Amino acid sequence: MKLFELYEKAGYPEYAARTKDCATFLQFGEYANGERRLQAANFCKLRLCPMCISRRAKRSAWLLSRILDRVEQEHRAKFLFLTLTMRSVDGHELGAAISDLTRAWERFQGQRQVERSFPGWFRAIEITSKWTRNGAVYHPHIHAICAVDADYFSRESRKNGKYLHQADLIGRWQKALRVDYRPSVRIQTTRAQAGDGQALASGGGKAAAEAGKYAVKDDEYIDPRIPERRAVEILRDYTEALHKRRLTGFGGWMREAARALDAENLEDGDLVRVDDESIRTDVAELAVAFHWRFGAGDYILSGRDINPLRVKQEPVREVPEQPATLPMVDKDKDLSEDMHQFWVYDDKSPWD
């Protein structure tokens, strides 16, 4: 509701209406063991909606982990996590800065040495904001996961130039960004800690969670401590700058894996099923529905029915095959006793 109010005050009535209706209906499948899994919902899918930000981040991290697992298995790859930055900009410059950042990444990856060293990659643009005396300033930057050969860290790779030192990466990123200052470049390996789980440990899940989380942080504009004027300005800047922009991308080995898993689009996909569905939806016992009640300020149980998907899976009773023609019937016999035969034959006969 806070976002709804901000959209109205910022002059976006259509977005306000979509936000107000977001997630007002939730339907879960309830299983015999008491577990519930979301099966349907009316998400608004707006980029600044906190509900949709959370669902999208969870979905992106799960899909990225699967992609990294596949690349690791097929190419014995290891992974680097890069953060590439540029100088902060004012709100009216944010859209142009995002375009510059996207083009700079294309030039960076187009360098022959970078392409040789990073045969697969995923990149996502993230933006943070800070309030100053002159208003909000924004810091767009890139989080990238780069796949490298298994021998990338070897002495031989350091000798032949496959291994890129930080100073080299900074110089190459500066050249791609076409700026007269030295931008910041941070490099991390994606070694997971014990207990992260198989997908996270094998595929660098911490990097997946970081790179796929969100483009913006909703607490920068949805916070009761933030003055309304400031929140409206930040919301308007983000809405204008992010309109119809693609903030993620794949290349090389990572693109091949994403295509194989039908996971190329991390921004506009299904927000209902955001992780591994280990239990089929058609074996749920019940379909349990909740509706949001604005007066109560909470979800209210509105339906608890037998799961229609489960009903469809019930085996159909087979009817024994009947002869093609009706048997002879005694003219003087009361036909009411045999009327059921006509109902059986009616389905298979050529008569009207």
Side-chain angles (χ1 to χ4, degrees):
M1 293 306 298
K2 178 64 175 177
L3 183 61
F4 161 74
E5 295 170 1
L6 292 176
Y7 269 133
E8 285 218 313
K9 288 180 169 58
Y12 302 99
E14 180 183 346
Y15 289 170
R18 286 173 60 183
T19 302
K20 188 175 182 180
D21 290 336
C22 181
T24 53
F25 168 75
L26 304 175
Q27 185 183 72
F28 295 85
E30 188 171 286
Y31 300 89
N33 61 0
E35 181 181 356
R36 286 178 179 170
R37 278 184 174 266
L38 189 64
Q39 291 184 346
N42 59 330
F43 295 118
C44 69
K45 294 189 176 182
L46 290 172
R47 206 187 289 270
L48 302 184
C49 170
M51 175 79 78
C52 297
I53 285 175
S54 174
R55 302 292 296 180
R56 190 178 291 109
K58 187 175 181 182
R59 175 180 181 269
S60 297
W62 172 61
L63 290 175
L64 276 174
S65 290
R66 294 180 63 204
I67 292 168
L68 295 176
D69 284 348
R70 188 180 183 96
V71 171
E72 183 181 49
Q73 292 166 7
E74 291 184 349
H75 302 282
R76 296 179 59 248
K78 295 183 179 180
F79 302 99
L80 294 178
F81 184 62
L82 301 183
T83 302
L84 308 172
T85 69
M86 65 183 302
R87 280 182 178 170
S88 299
V89 296
D90 295 331
H92 68 277
E93 301 173 310
L94 182 56
I98 294 174
S99 297
D100 291 343
L101 204 59
T102 303
R103 287 191 290 265
W105 175 261
E106 293 173 355
R107 290 191 289 266
F108 178 70
Q109 280 299 322
Q111 297 176 24
R112 183 175 300 179
Q113 184 57 51
V114 175
E115 188 176 8
R116 172 173 173 254
S117 299
F118 303 150
W121 52 266
F122 165 79
R123 64 105 178 127
I125 294 177
E126 182 185 354
I127 309 162
T128 57
S129 69
K130 183 174 67 173
W131 191 260
T132 68
R133 294 179 180 179
N134 299 322
V137 294
Y138 300 89
H139 180 57
H141 52 281
I142 286 178
H143 289 310
I145 303 176
C146 297
V148 298
D149 289 319
D151 65 347
Y152 179 79
F153 298 97
S154 68
R155 182 177 299 178
E156 183 63 27
S157 292
R158 295 172 187 268
K159 288 182 178 179
N160 62 28
K162 182 191 291 186
Y163 178 87
L164 296 177
H165 295 271
Q166 184 178 25
D168 192 13
L169 286 171
I170 291 174
R172 292 180 178 280
W173 177 238
Q174 179 182 358
K175 180 180 178 181
L177 199 56
R178 295 178 178 176
V179 294
D180 57 2
Y181 59 87
R182 298 281 282 178
S184 171
V185 175
R186 187 174 64 179
I187 310 170
Q188 295 173 284
T189 58
T190 60
R191 296 173 185 172
Q193 298 177 359
D196 281 342
Q198 182 178 359
L200 298 184
S202 60
K206 289 187 178 297
E210 178 71 14
K213 55 183 182 178
Y214 35 67
V216 299
K217 298 178 180 179
D218 54 65
D219 59 3
E220 293 181 354
Y221 47 90
I222 302 179
D223 188 328
R225 297 170 296 180
I226 299 176
E228 187 175 83
R229 181 183 66 84
R230 181 191 307 181
V232 169
E233 179 181 332
I234 294 173
L235 179 84
R236 187 181 289 116
D237 289 340
Y238 277 147
T239 301
E240 294 297 325
L242 299 178
H243 183 59
K244 292 185 177 181
R245 286 189 184 275
R246 187 76 176 267
L247 301 180
T248 61
F250 292 96
W253 293 348
M254 303 277 272
R255 178 180 294 166
E256 294 170 4
R259 284 176 178 171
L261 296 170
D262 192 23
E264 285 186 278
N265 190 348
L266 300 184
E267 299 181 55
D268 301 321
D270 181 16
L271 297 185
V272 174
R273 295 170 182 83
V274 296
D275 57 7
D276 187 15
E277 292 293 321
S278 58
I279 304 178
R280 284 173 37 175
T281 57
D282 56 24
V283 301
E285 300 285 338
L286 300 171
V288 184
F290 294 85
H291 280 81
W292 180 264
R293 293 291 182 264
F294 289 94
D298 204 349
Y299 286 99
I300 305 299
L301 179 67
S302 58
R304 190 178 177 87
D305 306 305
I306 296 175
N307 182 14
L309 295 176
R310 182 181 177 88
V311 173
K312 291 179 182 178
Q313 295 296 322
E314 293 294 334
V316 179
R317 183 175 61 86
E318 295 184 4
V319 179
E321 189 172 341
Q322 302 293 338
T325 58
L326 285 171
M328 296 298 294
V329 180
D330 188 346
K331 294 181 181 179
D332 299 327
K333 184 178 179 182
D334 183 2
L335 291 180
S336 63
E337 298 178 4
D338 296 322
M339 283 299 289
H340 68 280
Q341 294 186 21
F342 289 90
W343 291 107
V344 172
Y345 284 104
D346 186 61
D347 289 337
K348 294 189 176 182
S349 70
W351 313 322
D352 293 334

